Amino acid sequence: LEEHTAVRTRAGLFDVSHMGEFRVEGSHALAFLQHLVPNDVSKLAVGQALYSQLCLPNGNTIDDLLIYHLDETRYMMVVNAGNIDKDFAWVTRQATNFTDVQVTNQSDTTALLALQGPLAQEILQPLTDADLSAISYYHFTQGMVDGIQCIISRTGYTGEDGFELYCASVAASKLWNDLLAAGKPHGLLPAGLGARDTLRLEAGMCLYGHELDEQTNPLEARLGWSVKLNAGDFIGRDALLKVKEAGPRRKLVGIVMTDRGIPRGGYVIYDANGQPIGALTSGTRGLTVQKDIGMGYVDAAHAVVGETVLVDIRGKQAAAQIVALPFYKRKK
């Protein structure tokens, strides 16, 4: 509760060095990434990042990731920790179809700290000469922070403003301690993955292994904005085109409990007549919104904002309502 509230009202510092980083470089790096993911990497300027997925030929999701355009022929992919080995095997196998692409797994030598919250810029600015106010959302710069070479990225996974700092693993402890010291007068707290989960859920952000997996495609996860079917051929394009034309069979929805009870991932969702229509993928007490909230998949016909549903909470059907996502959106 304290960590969640600190991120929403002041700032929190996360160590997410467990995430995976792959360097992709070579004259065919862009062509390779265009083939690899459904988003349009060609639109990235140097200093810009985008969100996308790795898809199977059937359109389902191997992982979701960020791609950073470092310079003309160099990119960085950031993947989920539990999928590093699986993703690297997949990516390197696809790279064999391109003549000048080198993919390097630099996860073990790269640390990642996330400074998130409304006071993040105020805390970070004295530690760097980079003009943080000039970094737009999903853009980054490369420079010194606390005397340490970093990628300084205006991205995050909390629904708040903030920065993600990539640096060499050997420098992470110093950077962590100095950031905490700089932020102490501002109420900065170290924050863990429990708070990260409640924050991202309030912000309606998907978590791999919950809202996304190899049985789920990006269109049913309401990530169609990141699938550019007109940007050329990519792995899974034909399958996703068919899904778009026919319409997804199920859709991701947000639910708010109207009866008492905290929803959890795996709980079955029923329609008002008691017929099963889907299941929750995540759920918690929304600490900022002060509501019991969840996300999950229901049959497309029932994915209607305002519809009453029932959630099986430990053998008892409790009433809930389908609502628009996200549950929480920060004021700009």
Side-chain angles (χ1 to χ4, degrees), residues 268-278 299 302 307-312 316-319:
V268 177
I269 304 172
Y270 301 84
D271 66 14
N273 298 317
Q275 297 299 309
I277 57 171
D299 298 338
H302 292 279
E307 180 163 326
T308 297
V309 295
L310 302 169
V311 178
D312 187 335
K316 180 183 177 182
Q317 291 188 353

Side-chain angles (χ1 to χ4, degrees), residues 37 46 50 67 107 118 134 206 250 262 298 300 305 311 313 324:
V37 303
V46 172
L50 60 69
I67 296 176
S107 304
C206 293
R250 58 178 191 152
I262 297 178
V298 299
V305 171
V311 178
I313 299 180

Side-chain angles (χ1 to χ4, degrees), residues 52-332:
S52 194
Q53 305 83 32
L54 295 174
C55 289
L56 292 162
N58 66 6
N60 290 348
T61 314
I62 298 170
D63 201 2
D64 61 341
L65 73 158
L66 297 182
I67 296 176
Y68 288 78
H69 192 180
L70 301 177
D71 63 32
E72 187 177 354
T73 60
R74 288 195 309 135
Y75 297 80
M76 180 173 70
M77 301 172 59
V78 183
V79 303
N80 286 296
N83 292 335
I84 291 173
D85 292 341
K86 177 184 75 168
D87 290 357
F88 191 64
W90 174 261
V91 171
T92 52
R93 188 158 69 247
Q94 306 310 316
T96 60
N97 298 315
F98 294 80
T99 54
D100 186 21
V101 177
Q102 297 83 46
V103 183
T104 307
N105 183 356
Q106 56 184 40
S107 304
D108 290 343
T109 57
T110 305
L112 174 56
L113 305 183
L115 179 63
Q116 298 282 292
L119 300 184
Q121 181 174 313
E122 188 175 341
I123 292 167
L124 184 59
Q125 187 61 79
L127 297 179
T128 180
D129 289 336
D131 181 2
L132 300 180
S133 66
I135 304 174
S136 301
Y137 189 51
Y138 265 72
H139 287 68
F140 67 93
T141 190
Q142 301 186 57
M144 304 299 285
V145 178
D146 192 34
I148 297 162
Q149 182 66 37
C150 291
I151 292 173
I152 308 165
S153 174
R154 197 162 209 146
T155 46
Y157 192 53
T158 62
E160 296 300 329
D161 188 22
F163 299 88
E164 293 186 304
L165 305 172
Y166 298 85
C167 68
S169 297
V170 294
S173 295
K174 176 180 175 2
L175 183 58
W176 171 269
N177 290 328
D178 290 349
L179 281 167
L180 284 180
K184 188 174 182 180
H186 301 274
L188 173 67
L189 290 183
L193 298 183
R196 193 169 169 85
D197 192 43
T198 56
L199 290 159
R200 71 90 194 170
L201 181 52
E202 283 191 331
M205 295 177 171
C206 293
L207 174 62
Y208 194 86
H210 293 253
E211 288 70 46
L212 290 169
D213 55 31
E214 292 190 13
Q215 284 71 52
T216 308
N217 69 65
L219 298 181
E220 57 194 9
R222 298 189 183 271
L223 297 172
W225 56 269
S226 68
V227 176
K228 303 298 193 293
L229 293 168
N230 296 324
D233 193 23
F234 58 83
I235 299 168
R237 181 184 180 277
D238 291 346
L240 290 171
L241 183 59
K242 289 178 182 177
V243 171
K244 183 172 184 179
E245 289 173 345
R249 293 181 299 103
R250 58 178 191 152
K251 290 182 179 178
L252 184 68
V253 296
I255 64 113
V256 169
M257 301 302 301
T258 51
D259 283 346
R260 291 186 64 180
I262 297 178
R264 300 293 185 191
Y267 288 4
V268 177
I269 304 172
Y270 301 84
D271 66 14
N273 298 317
Q275 297 299 309
I277 57 171
L280 290 170
T281 49
S282 297
T284 192
R285 175 67 178 173
L287 301 173
T288 306
V289 298
Q290 288 294 297
K291 296 175 182 176
D292 298 318
I293 59 174
M295 291 197 295
Y297 287 93
V298 299
D299 298 338
H302 292 279
V304 179
V305 171
E307 180 163 326
T308 297
V309 295
L310 302 169
V311 178
D312 187 335
I313 299 180
R314 295 187 297 278
K316 180 183 177 182
Q317 291 188 353
Q321 187 177 54
I322 293 178
V323 298
L325 292 169
F327 304 100
Y328 165 84
K329 195 168 186 178
R330 71 181 176 92
K331 295 176 181 177
K332 302 297 184 184

